[in-house]
Amino acid sequence: MTSEPQDRVLSPEELEAALRAVGAERYHNLHPFHKLLHGGKLNRGQIQAWALNRYYYQSRIPAKDGVLLSRLPTPDLRRLWRSRLEDHDGFPGAEAGAPGTANGGIERWLRLATGVGLDRDYVESTVGILPATRFAVDAYVALVRDRSVLEAVASSLTEMFSPTIIAERVSGMLANYDFITQETLAYFAPRLTQAPRDVDFALAYVKQHARTAEQQRAAIAALTEKCNILWAQLDALHFAYVDPGYIPPGAFVPEGHIAKGGKS
């Protein structure tokens, strides 16, 4: 359905099916790097590179949501979207490292990164991330800033597909890496309830406000672009840390890594 030109207005049910078809074809759970990650085929350094680069994406989600929050036209919409900021930034006074969701997704991701052996300050600095990671994540923030509110909301609908990738990631990493624990992966458990809640609102918004064929095409294209952004991040990780293994200057180099050409 995603590959065929759309020249008529879809029903809300048809629009939802078209959006879901984007994920079935393009979501990054299909990427070879993800399959290596949850299949136990990566070493600690490669997992560190994934955790480090993914932190930049996690850290920019509140910026993306703050931009969209400023563009929403009504108090009701802003109140509904505001919970996303709280999910990631946490709450004032919450103790870092406390169990549950009070400390927010960014703090939980930092616990994941330190749990696989990275230095917290180094992760937060983002100096070692891949250039392509920065470009891709910044492109997502720009999409939300510069495109219509409808497109910005539609781009968030990759969360429709996240329960699948979370289940694969958590079960696979716990089964295949002896240095990974439930505590290391504490980021993911709250997302199993937060993401469906967020999807309920965003999907209803898109189905209500994408009234013309042009608006529907724009919403589908925005979700496609978001999937491409997520895919590009894994492309960069695979190229730098798996095959062919060329790490760009200034990017994180895992301990013991042998550079192409035989130099450490």
Side-chain angles (χ1 to χ4, degrees):
M1 191 170 189
T2 57
S3 61
E4 298 176 359
Q6 181 201 330
D7 56 5
R8 65 178 180 85
V9 178
L10 303 177
S11 70
E13 294 74 22
E14 289 174 321
L15 177 57
E16 179 175 345
L19 292 165
R20 292 188 181 277
V22 172
E25 179 183 8
R26 295 174 179 270
Y27 194 55
H28 65 298
N29 66 311
L30 302 172
H31 196 284
F33 189 92
H34 173 67
K35 294 181 181 297
L36 293 172
L37 176 66
H38 74 76
K41 305 301 183 181
L42 299 182
N43 58 42
R44 185 189 290 263
Q46 291 166 326
I47 292 174
Q48 288 174 335
W50 165 74
L52 172 68
N53 281 270
R54 180 76 181 190
Y55 171 77
Y56 187 63
Y57 176 77
Q58 301 301 144
S59 72
R60 298 301 291 160
I61 288 175
K64 175 269 299 184
D65 287 327
V67 167
L68 184 51
L69 190 66
S70 73
R71 303 182 64 204
L72 293 172
T74 69
D76 285 344
L77 289 175
R78 291 192 293 271
R79 277 192 292 268
L80 286 166
W81 204 267
R82 194 161 59 222
S83 65
R84 294 171 180 249
L85 286 170
E86 295 167 347
D87 289 344
H88 288 279
D89 279 344
F91 301 91
E95 179 185 355
T101 62
N103 52 319
I106 292 176
E107 178 63 35
R108 291 197 309 276
W109 195 270
L110 284 165
R111 286 160 52 196
L112 186 157
T114 57
V116 299
L118 292 168
D119 177 75
R120 180 186 177 107
D121 290 341
Y122 178 70
V123 175
E124 289 186 290
S125 75
T126 74
V127 296
I129 68 172
L130 297 168
T133 298
R134 196 177 302 276
F135 282 123
V137 174
D138 290 352
Y140 181 35
V141 178
L143 185 161
V144 173
R145 182 190 66 221
D146 298 337
R147 306 271 273 275
S148 69
V149 170
L150 173 64
E151 291 167 282
V153 173
S155 71
S156 75
L157 285 173
T158 48
E159 291 177 323
M160 289 193 295
F161 323 120
S162 64
T164 297
I165 201 170
I166 288 173
E168 292 174 350
R169 188 176 289 159
V170 171
S171 62
M173 293 182 76
L174 287 174
N176 290 303
Y177 303 104
D178 57 12
F179 57 91
I180 299 289
T181 67
Q182 287 280 6
E183 184 180 22
T184 307
L185 302 180
Y187 169 83
F188 296 107
R191 295 304 301 157
L192 291 172
T193 55
Q194 292 168 353
R197 176 206 66 200
D198 293 342
V199 166
D200 286 346
F201 166 73
L203 184 58
Y205 182 94
V206 171
K207 289 164 72 173
Q208 178 183 355
H209 290 86
R211 301 188 182 96
T212 68
E214 181 180 8
Q215 289 171 331
Q216 291 177 343
R217 288 194 298 269
I220 294 166
L223 179 57
T224 300
E225 186 169 343
K226 171 65 178 307
C227 285
N228 290 344
I229 286 168
L230 293 171
W231 194 278
Q233 292 176 64
L234 294 188
D235 277 349
L237 282 165
H238 198 277
F239 186 91
Y241 296 103
V242 180
D243 185 29
Y246 288 111
I247 300 176
F252 168 71
V253 178
E255 184 178 353
H257 172 79
I258 302 299
K260 293 295 180 178
K263 296 180 179 179
S264 61

